[in-house]
Amino acid sequence: MPVNKEILDEIALSQAEYDMIVDRLDREPNPVELGMFGALWSEHCGYKHSRPLLGLLPSRSDRTLSQAGAENAGAIDIGNGLAVVFKVESHNHPSAVEPLQGAATGVGGIVRDILAMGARPIALLNSLRFGPPDTAANRRLLKGVVDGIGWYGNCIGVPDVAGEIYFDHCYSQNPLVNAMCVGIARIEDLASAAADRTGDVLLLAGAGTGRDGIHGASGLASRTFEEEQELRPTVQVGNPFLEKSLIEACLEALATGRVRALQDLGAAGLTSAAVESAARGGRGIALDISQVHRRESGMTGYEVMLSESQERMLLAAAPEHVPAIREVFDKWDIPCHPVGAVTDEPYALVTDGAEPIASAPVSHLTDAPRYRLNGQPSAESVERQRLRLRDVPLPADAGAVLLQLMAAPNIASRQGVYRQYDHQVQTNTVVAPGAGDAAVLRIKGTGQAIAVAIDGNGRQCFLDPYRGAQMVVAEVTRNLSCVGAEPLALTDCLNFGNPERPEIYHQLEQSIRGMARACRALGVPVVSGNASLYNESQGTAIYPTPIVGGLGLLEDARRHCGSGFPEEGLTVVLLGASQLTARASDLAGSEYLNTMHGMVRGRPRIDLALERRVQSFCRSLISDGLARSAHDCSDGGLAVALAECCILGDGRIGGAGSVGFVASDEMSRNIPARWDAALFGEAASRIVISVDAADVHRIIAAAETAGVPATISGRTVGNSLRIDGLIDLPVEELAGAWYGGLNNALQ
Amino acid sequence: MRFGILVFPGTWSDTDCHHAVSGVLGQEADYIWHKEDSVDGYDAIIVPGGFSYGDYLRAGAIARFSPVMGAVRDFAAQGGLVIGICNGFQILCEAGLLPGALRRNGHLEYRCQWTHLRTERADTPFTNRCGAGQSLAVPVSHGEGNYYADASTIAQLEEQGRILFRYCEPDGTVTPDANPNGSVDNIAGIINEGRNVLGMMPHPERSCEALLGSDDGNLIFGSMIDAGANRAGAGRPGAHH
């Protein structure tokens, strides 16, 4: 087959990669084969640039039940014979082209990854990035993405329990839509995606195959992104109603014990599902695409093999079990047809009826080339790290700064978004979105609960990818600790620009190294993940944005904590800082610098050993019932954290609501001249807790023993937030700014 | 007490309702597949929430034609207790068991949040454990919960005492601010003339445990259990089929 650059560009393969294919096959590939190679060797499926680096991340602990990459998602033993399965995945480019369908199918796709593990999906999370909301285009993207997540998630009955949204110019052309799903299964019921038994029948269940999404993996997910208009047909269209029935039918089929292997059809559709299942099982496959049920006529073999039509699953089962499995799908009115078989010889053979249309060794298809490049920080990136406090003018009024930050699009309450998502269905949600630093879901039939959170901080990773990525891991585990959960494991989605550029490769490598260091220091493995590279347009990349999802465990679901101050008369203690400092590094990449001074500068720092002690101490206070609330200092620093604790108040349904705060004399006295850095700096490893006054001295003493700095910041009283000489604002006014901020920005 | 919980393709509150009446309240409960044409042997039927048949066309519009809904109609006609929750309320309206319709929320957004419901009367099989005027914390989660009926129907509902729940403030005051979807007169739930069929948008099965924020929903299911016990002497509906 004669190829040219145009054809290779279409499937995102280089000439060298094409030559490698010819070499391996010892002949030219035909168009179907070339399409299959293109999809499986895409960055999205083949992890050409990321896999060598992903090996740096710790992937095991005594609770891991699967190895990262070996199955569709990571599985963690939470005790009582139960496994929690979870993974985060990107759907960035489809969402940029068609935000509603792109985001919706992102949710659908990650749900099927969890389903493929034999787990029931019990929670969704998402992490979103957009350009500033001051342009109609960015607002349209946000609205479309939120509508898509809500539409799909609400319809399938999986609660959307946590998430984050940030705005920055770098995401204007490249919004990020990362979706995470969490599932639960009995350990012995976990399914495998390995088609490992010769003679098993391959059954394709779910939606008819259509022309939607062809080249999603190679075209959308693996290239930079210039001509969006042309790409619309490559976006998939979702049917959440069918997905809901597909979930039930697959779980019911698995419960019969007759399904040998289960695999979702995601990126690269049938090609990837069939070939990767065979590769996992060390077997081959024979597919007859004339048996694939379709939603449109006249499709070519190429189109059938590469379609990314949604809501499809591939099952492998012994021939004698096929009728019983099909009966289950019949009950749910879901088409389920034999499309091939598992073969002994590790070969992928595709026919259309009797006519062969593709044939290649499985290992040739799945062993994508791997590239290890040389990263090089750009000159500007070094310059950006320089930040001196004297270059930052001190504002006149701390109260005005606080009000402005509370209303800033990156800090304001997300209530307007999460109340559009059903976050309660399945009746497990103990700590709902907005009420705590992580969501808490009880596990029915046990006294336990899990906590889940998702975090990223592109700005700090942009300033220092190594330290920034450490801070992301620290923050997500800190959020779990703030609700009282012990962090068990992480999942990551690596959103970066074009790795073929040295400065981007540098960001990728350093971020992964930073994550790996923090994971080791904090004792959590990364058990699943996804890489989304090539997030750039017109040569401008997004900030390096590793997004990390965390899973934590509470042995006693009742021993959890919310963020808000639950009542008046409590003492407020700051963990992690013995005094309020004013260092330039505290302001590095802060929202204060961004919002008030339009600066993205500095070099963040974190002490991981301190971080670990602070988190562990916070958890022990919660499990001992001593902490009445816990909230970490992140965006906007200590002052914003205190304001949020006041606004959230007792958090009870129909409860009294907000509570005031007055700083102690000691805190007010010790605020340095650069109060901006002290109050709004984002130094890591700090948690604001409230405790009963009677317990304070015991807690301070225990903190000292644990090597955790702890200082009394003030007490909860009245209905305003007061730091003498600097801030005196009614909580109602702060709440107005915070709750209204995002809505006002979107008008 | 034996509850039957309907399951349509797209239903998702079925397991939540099962957990509430069985796991929390200790009653018997079975799922009833939409293709069944009998609900014999049950003391009460729950039509749960979800997106039955994808809610294509209109919420509840297709589910009403399912075989099981024919059986539920007969069951209700004989005085059997039926509670439709969220999508179940929509289905009961589409099936003609309750008057009116549920339109898209006034603000056009899906809304999942806690609401409070004023119990307008306590002398029904669904509220006998409540006090008249009692405020219950029960959450909503819907995009089409904006109850509408024409003025004469509303007047009739009012006159016959069939408006059972209204969205209110925590203290029981009915205000426009407490209304999450723009429904007429803050209506959250209504009953039929025979007082044995309730349709409500909020989800009582989500508020049956203090750990989840409220256990007020138990008052509604508990009332049904009491009412069922009282009826038991008279024989179960459907028993003579």
Side-chain angles (χ1 to χ4, degrees), chain A residues 407-433:
Chain A
N410 283 340
I411 287 180
S413 167
R414 270 66 180 124
Q415 187 191 58
V417 171
Y418 62 69
R419 70 183 176 191
Q420 297 182 53
Y421 305 148
D422 190 335
H423 46 262
Q424 299 174 319
V425 65
Q426 301 192 19
T427 59
N428 297 319
T429 310
V430 175
V431 175

Side-chain angles (χ1 to χ4, degrees), chain B residues 6 8 34-36 53 62-71 73 91:
Chain B
L6 305 194
F8 301 93
H34 65 115
K35 290 174 184 169
E36 300 288 328
Y53 303 97
I62 303 175
R64 62 172 282 210
F65 292 110
S66 63
V68 78
M69 281 310 294
R73 226 178 259 118
I91 293 169

Side-chain angles (χ1 to χ4, degrees), chain B residues 144-166:
Chain B
E144 299 179 27
N146 177 0
Y147 183 76
Y148 176 81
D150 60 44
S152 65
T153 306
I154 297 288
Q156 194 185 23
L157 288 174
E158 187 75 79
E159 192 188 333
Q160 296 175 343
R162 290 165 55 193
I163 298 170
L164 194 54
F165 296 117
R166 280 194 168 90

Side-chain angles (χ1 to χ4, degrees), chain A residues 3-19:
Chain A
V3 294
N4 54 37
K5 186 162 183 321
E6 208 176 313
I7 290 174
L8 291 176
D9 277 354
E10 171 110 339
I11 51 173
L13 285 178
S14 68
Q15 182 66 46
E17 287 166 342
Y18 180 79
D19 294 342

Side-chain angles (χ1 to χ4, degrees), chain A residues 154 239 241 419 422 426 442, chain B residues 12 16 54 112 141 206 209:
Chain A
N154 294 342
N239 178 352
F241 165 63
R419 70 183 176 191
D422 190 335
Q426 301 192 19
R442 60 94 178 263
Chain B
W12 41 236
D16 297 353
C112 176
S141 184
R206 296 186 181 188
E209 292 164 274

Side-chain angles (χ1 to χ4, degrees), chain A residues 451-600:
Chain A
V452 285
I454 189 164
D455 285 287
N457 191 328
R459 215 158 46 211
Q460 285 178 341
C461 293
F462 175 64
L463 292 171
D464 188 325
Y466 183 70
R467 291 186 184 175
Q470 291 182 19
M471 295 186 77
V472 173
V473 171
E475 178 165 5
V476 73
T477 51
R478 195 185 313 131
N479 283 333
L480 297 173
S481 294
C482 281
V483 296
E486 184 191 355
L488 298 186
L490 307 178
T491 177
D492 67 333
C493 188
L494 303 168
N495 303 277
F496 287 81
N498 177 355
E500 295 160 45
R501 296 201 290 135
E503 65 187 85
I504 304 293
Y505 193 82
H506 171 80
Q507 292 174 344
L508 179 64
E509 177 168 10
Q510 290 305 310
S511 293
I512 292 173
R513 286 185 185 282
M515 281 176 60
R517 165 124 202 273
C519 286
R520 290 208 166 82
L522 299 171
V524 280
V526 177
V527 296
S528 60
N530 164 251
S532 172
L533 310 183
Y534 300 95
N535 289 288
E536 46 186 79
S537 58
Q538 278 102 45
T540 306
I542 59 162
Y543 286 158
T545 314
I547 297 295
V548 179
L551 168 72
L553 181 67
L554 296 96
E555 287 299 344
D556 183 346
R558 294 166 302 179
R559 291 286 166 104
H560 63 264
C561 241
S563 305
F565 294 143
E567 60 179 329
E568 286 196 36
L570 300 174
T571 301
V572 176
V573 175
L574 178 64
L575 301 179
S578 52
Q579 55 182 358
L580 289 178
T581 55
R583 297 170 301 193
S585 63
D586 299 345
L587 283 183
S590 65
E591 189 56 40
Y592 162 77
L593 269 196
N594 183 50
T595 296
M596 304 303 298
H597 302 283
M599 291 167 79
V600 177

Side-chain angles (χ1 to χ4, degrees), chain A residues 166-492:
Chain A
Y166 287 97
F167 301 92
D168 194 284
H169 287 287
C170 72
Y171 305 111
S172 285
Q173 304 299 318
N174 272 279
L176 302 185
V177 176
N178 290 186
M180 171 171 158
C181 185
V182 184
I184 192 159
R186 297 208 60 78
I187 291 173
E188 71 259 28
D189 294 341
L190 283 174
S192 168
D196 58 355
R197 191 169 57 193
T198 302
D200 273 5
V201 176
L202 293 172
L203 292 158
L204 182 59
T209 298
R211 288 196 172 91
D212 47 335
I214 291 168
H215 284 176
S218 54
L220 275 185
S222 302
R223 277 193 305 188
T224 59
F225 194 46
E226 315 289 346
E227 299 293 327
E228 70 171 56
Q229 300 314 325
E230 287 176 23
L231 293 170
R232 200 165 300 250
T234 62
V235 176
Q236 311 86 339
V237 177
N239 178 352
F241 165 63
L242 178 56
E243 178 106 337
K244 167 65 173 152
S245 291
L246 189 62
I247 293 169
E248 301 304 332
C250 285
L251 292 176
E252 205 170 308
L254 285 167
T256 66
R258 294 178 157 112
V259 177
R260 179 76 173 187
L262 183 63
Q263 170 69 47
D264 63 298
L265 277 75
L270 188 55
T271 294
S272 158
V275 173
E276 286 180 3
S277 303
R280 286 190 175 110
R283 292 287 184 274
I285 42 147
L287 282 179
D288 177 0
I289 58 148
S290 70
Q291 302 303 307
V292 172
H293 57 283
R294 308 181 190 182
R295 68 171 69 138
E296 35 192 325
S297 56
M299 289 179 71
T300 64
Y302 181 95
E303 289 169 329
V304 173
M305 285 306 292
L306 293 166
S307 161
E308 293 187 4
S309 290
Q310 300 290 292
E311 292 92 22
R312 297 181 300 163
M313 299 291 287
L314 189 69
L315 298 86
E320 64 271 25
H321 293 329
V322 168
I325 291 169
R326 293 186 70 185
E327 201 173 300
V328 172
F329 284 89
D330 273 353
K331 175 191 156 186
W332 288 94
D333 294 321
I334 293 176
C336 174
H337 301 291
V339 295
V342 180
T343 57
D344 202 35
E345 203 183 341
Y347 235 79
L349 175 66
V350 183
T351 59
D352 187 352
E355 182 199 350
I357 60 167
S359 154
V362 167
S363 60
H364 288 182
L365 284 160
T366 53
D367 287 351
R370 291 174 189 183
Y371 301 118
R372 190 119 199 197
L373 306 178
N374 287 318
Q376 179 71 45
S378 66
E380 303 86 64
S381 74
V382 179
E383 206 282 320
R384 277 194 297 267
Q385 293 185 336
R386 295 212 183 93
L387 174 68
R388 295 173 306 185
L389 282 178
R390 68 180 128 122
D391 297 335
V392 181
L394 187 67
D397 179 350
V401 172
L402 178 57
L403 276 174
Q404 196 171 335
L405 283 178
M406 294 305 285
N410 283 340
I411 287 180
S413 167
R414 270 66 180 124
Q415 187 191 58
V417 171
Y418 62 69
R419 70 183 176 191
Q420 297 182 53
Y421 305 148
D422 190 335
H423 46 262
Q424 299 174 319
V425 65
Q426 301 192 19
T427 59
N428 297 319
T429 310
V430 175
V431 175
D437 284 15
V440 176
L441 301 161
R442 60 94 178 263
I443 305 296
K444 287 192 184 103
T446 75
Q448 296 176 316
I450 57 166
V452 285
I454 189 164
D455 285 287
N457 191 328
R459 215 158 46 211
Q460 285 178 341
C461 293
F462 175 64
L463 292 171
D464 188 325
Y466 183 70
R467 291 186 184 175
Q470 291 182 19
M471 295 186 77
V472 173
V473 171
E475 178 165 5
V476 73
T477 51
R478 195 185 313 131
N479 283 333
L480 297 173
S481 294
C482 281
V483 296
E486 184 191 355
L488 298 186
L490 307 178
T491 177
D492 67 333

